Amino acid sequence: MSSTPVTWFEIGSDRPDEAQRFYTDLFGWSFEEQGGPGGSYRQTTAGGGRGIGGAIRGLGGDEANYAIFYAEVADVAETCRRAESAGGTVLVAPVTTPAGLVRAWLRDPSGNRFGVFTPPAGG
């Protein structure tokens, strides 16, 4: 079995402007607003060719702030099945975005959340 790379992270914040200022000041990251379902989604390349990409997602309502990493996998549904077999939990079942990206959120046996995704075909 080959190693699965972590290729994306996401920071959910009810104060996305403050989070963006923090990470810009701390690490020099720049962000570009992408919009999306539910509001603000600000992407960063976070380190250029040496680092992974990521984003700050603006939150509203009762959703708690979070930080999560995403591992790129060949098959999100199969990875969810394997995670459950290994004692994990699927928190958000696989969904496909309009652009063709497939993603899911999981929880490991110790309670940590993480995501898996497959990029759009040809992406």
Side-chain angles (χ1 to χ4, degrees):
M1 179 182 208
S2 64
S3 178
T4 300
V6 173
T7 58
W8 192 257
F9 68 88
E10 183 176 280
I11 299 164
S13 176
D14 57 355
R15 297 185 311 269
D17 292 335
E18 185 177 321
Q20 179 174 329
R21 276 192 302 277
F22 175 80
Y23 288 104
T24 297
D25 291 350
L26 184 62
F27 297 129
W29 295 349
S30 60
F31 293 84
E32 182 178 324
E33 178 63 58
Q34 299 296 312
S40 177
Y41 199 76
R42 305 160 189 211
Q43 291 186 0
T44 180
T45 55
R50 293 188 357 212
I52 64 173
I56 295 173
R57 179 176 161 246
L59 303 176
D62 296 331
E63 196 170 359
N65 291 339
Y66 65 89
I68 189 169
F69 71 86
Y70 285 85
E72 185 175 334
V73 299
D75 185 326
V76 171
E78 175 60 22
T79 301
C80 288
R81 285 189 289 277
R82 288 188 10 244
E84 287 179 320
S85 293
T89 306
V90 175
L91 299 174
V92 176
V95 294
T96 303
T97 68
L101 180 135
V102 181
R103 66 175 170 78
W105 277 13
L106 306 155
R107 185 183 319 266
D108 70 18
S110 61
N112 297 304
R113 293 190 314 169
F114 66 98
V116 294
F117 80 100
T118 300

